[in-house]
Amino acid sequence: MVSGDSGTWIYLGNGDGTFTMKAQYASFTGDCTDYAITQVAETCLVSADFNNDGIPDLASAVWIDGIVSFLLGNGDGTFSPGPQTFVLGTPQSMAAGDFNNDGKMDLAVSNLFGTIYVYPGNGDGTFGSPTTVPVTMNGAGLASGDVNGDGNLDLVLASGTGASTIGVAVWVVTGNGNGTFNTPIPLLADEAPNAVVLGDFNGDGLLDIASVNFNPDDVSILINNGNLTFLPETIYGSDIGPAALAAADVNGDGKPDLLVVNEYSADVTILVNTTTSP
């Protein structure tokens, strides 16, 4: 899947490292690049099974009109429009997960001005009214996972930048397993953390946090000690203007590595995980 200003393209793998384009959706795009304020790109597409048919669906958000929309998968690489859209102010990123433990996929959307909206899924591609989680800073990249190990999904938010402020923290928002969340906990990262991913980067079974930090052109790794405490950040350099982040095992050694998309240098930095598991 590739998305840009002129739409979203679906490419199906051929099994040999090559791909064939299956479909294009010109009116469906994930664009949370708020150039009027931050000049930093944000990822605004997420894939999950929103209608419980076992087929991946897509959700997208567009910052300029605040619209979140959906495409439901047909199972052959094509998609049909979802039955619902909703509007919220200046979305910046999204994360999917079952936040209320009802077996239906929910959707969390971060807002530039410091609110996370969590929409409970109805299991048919529609959603109920959102729970709002206020954060006392701007909102940028968003990720979900069980950070504190209690079996409930939590949220991690990057604080990004605003018109006159620069965030220096990522926020851990622990979930109660019923669609409600606790007071956000700030963790020091670096200037303008723009995107976050979760992964077990040191092999101890706990989810750690990585953020790309736009102003100093670097990546912060926060190692999870358990009990909602983390080691002080370790910083690794990237190229210019890191804006997006993904975790994947790029060298096949079973450890998650990091891929950083650098907006201003128009390239990708690969950080290979060299830790030794405990």
Side-chain angles (χ1 to χ4, degrees), residues 181-245:
F181 294 83
N182 299 303
T183 302
I185 300 169
L187 302 173
L188 182 64
D190 209 338
E191 290 187 4
N194 193 51
V196 288
V197 296
L198 306 181
D200 182 8
F201 299 120
N202 64 345
D204 64 355
L206 302 175
L207 281 181
D208 309 308
I209 301 171
S211 75
V212 289
N213 310 305
F214 193 78
N215 281 13
D217 301 327
D218 61 29
V219 177
S220 296
I221 306 292
L222 296 161
I223 297 297
N224 193 342
N225 290 322
N227 299 316
L228 288 178
T229 65
F230 291 77
L231 292 177
E233 62 173 348
T234 302
I235 294 178
Y236 301 89
S238 67
D239 215 332
I240 304 171
L245 182 66

Side-chain angles (χ1 to χ4, degrees), residues 34-39 63 90 112-113 161-164:
D34 190 348
Y35 284 106
I37 298 175
T38 63
Q39 300 184 16
W63 77 270
T90 324
L112 178 67
F113 302 105
T161 64
S164 61

Side-chain angles (χ1 to χ4, degrees), residues 2-250:
V2 178
S3 186
D5 289 341
S6 38
T8 296
W9 295 261
I10 307 299
Y11 291 86
L12 302 183
N14 298 317
D16 59 359
T18 65
F19 296 81
T20 300
M21 191 181 81
K22 178 66 175 181
Q24 178 185 0
Y25 302 93
S27 60
F28 187 86
T29 183
D31 181 6
C32 287
T33 308
D34 190 348
Y35 284 106
I37 298 175
T38 63
Q39 300 184 16
V40 178
E42 302 288 354
T43 302
C44 266
L45 281 172
V46 66
S47 177
D49 182 10
F50 294 114
N51 61 350
N52 276 6
D53 64 354
I55 301 170
D57 309 309
L58 299 174
S60 75
V62 179
W63 77 270
I64 197 167
D65 54 19
I67 293 178
V68 177
S69 57
F70 300 86
L71 290 177
L72 301 183
N74 297 318
D76 61 356
T78 66
F79 295 79
S80 301
Q84 182 183 21
T85 61
F86 41 82
V87 178
L88 70 159
T90 324
Q92 290 295 283
S93 188
M94 298 188 294
D98 184 5
F99 300 112
N100 57 2
N101 290 325
D102 66 352
K104 302 169 185 176
M105 196 61 62
D106 311 313
L107 183 69
V109 185
S110 65
N111 176 276
L112 178 67
F113 302 105
T115 300
I116 303 171
Y117 297 86
V118 182
Y119 292 84
N122 296 320
D124 59 359
T126 66
F127 296 80
S129 298
T131 297
T132 57
V133 182
V135 181
T136 58
M137 193 59 189
N138 304 306
L142 188 65
S144 66
D146 183 8
V147 175
N148 62 351
D150 65 352
N152 300 319
L153 287 180
D154 310 309
L155 293 167
V156 177
L157 176 71
S159 56
T161 64
S164 61
T165 58
I166 298 175
V168 293
V170 296
W171 299 80
V172 177
V173 189
T174 56
N176 297 313
N178 60 0
T180 65
F181 294 83
N182 299 303
T183 302
I185 300 169
L187 302 173
L188 182 64
D190 209 338
E191 290 187 4
N194 193 51
V196 288
V197 296
L198 306 181
D200 182 8
F201 299 120
N202 64 345
D204 64 355
L206 302 175
L207 281 181
D208 309 308
I209 301 171
S211 75
V212 289
N213 310 305
F214 193 78
N215 281 13
D217 301 327
D218 61 29
V219 177
S220 296
I221 306 292
L222 296 161
I223 297 297
N224 193 342
N225 290 322
N227 299 316
L228 288 178
T229 65
F230 291 77
L231 292 177
E233 62 173 348
T234 302
I235 294 178
Y236 301 89
S238 67
D239 215 332
I240 304 171
L245 182 66
D249 181 9
V250 298

